[in-house]
Amino acid sequence: MKSNATRHILSISGGKDSAALAVYLRNKIPSIEYVFCDTGEELDETYAYLARVEAYLGSTIKVLKQEGRDFRHCLIIYNNYLPSPQMRWCTKHLKIIPFEKYVGDDHVINYIGIRADEDRDGYISRKRNITARYPFKDDGIKKEDVFRILDEAGLGLPEYYKWRSRSGCYFCFFQQKIEWVGLLENHPELFKRAMAYEKTDPESGVRFTWGDNESLEELSRPERVAQIKAEHKEKIERRPNKAKGLLIDIFAEMADEEDENNRACFICSL
Ligand code: SF4
């Protein structure tokens, strides 16, 4: 049934920006609803961070997922074609549709954590009854403010930022090679699970891999891992005027530098 009152919804991804936005808006919009679109393929660190955010907010973060339509189910529907930046069916089925179902026909203001220092706009749904708002952009909140907000709230950052630049599925195809290495070293069992999704069509020989031109089996070979690490180190050292100290800064910079087509969707990664 359609509600006449405008609903205020913040979709929390498990990443730093949406968590900071939740803290920022907590006392400004008392009726705000918090949701998390759970793909069922998230990292344990994400759930742990969400639990901390929830405790801080003193409100439940409602978990949204479509029963019986998990990643494996969708993969079958898509003939085993793994999702990719060009074919983001995972975001559509595992994040956006559950969100839109939750919203229904109600008029909703959807708060999005894009910061003032980011040169992009974003909208996660095309439904006309959903209006996007960007409080960080409106109020000039930048990356350093996000860190401060989370610090002051006692939340800090999600653990995965030590080896990965964003929230979302452990197998997310937006990962850089060094992040796949991070997955291999921090969650070898999840790396294996991601690897198991990669297939070669026995008839055509076509390979279904998460990344371009390289399977995870190839990427995980010790000499390749050493090469990726060396290249990453070199990349960091070539950044003379950029953040060098914290890995989170370096990862965040790299994510900020990605072009629009190669960026994870807001609902997954903010
Ligand atoms: S995190 Fe990556 S793999 Fe997961 S739904 Fe989002 S885009 Fe797809």
Side-chain angles (χ1 to χ4, degrees), residues 19 37 49 56 81 96 105 117 132 161 196 203 217 220 242 254:
C37 299
Y49 193 61
Y56 172 85
Y81 271 94
I96 293 179
D105 294 327
D117 56 335
Y161 275 130
E203 282 168 27
E217 189 279 316
S220 66
K242 308 225 172 177
M254 287 175 171

Side-chain angles (χ1 to χ4, degrees), residues 111-125:
Y111 296 89
I112 298 176
I114 296 178
R115 306 182 313 262
D117 56 335
E118 291 180 288
D119 183 21
R120 54 176 169 164
D121 285 315
Y123 190 52
I124 58 159
S125 168

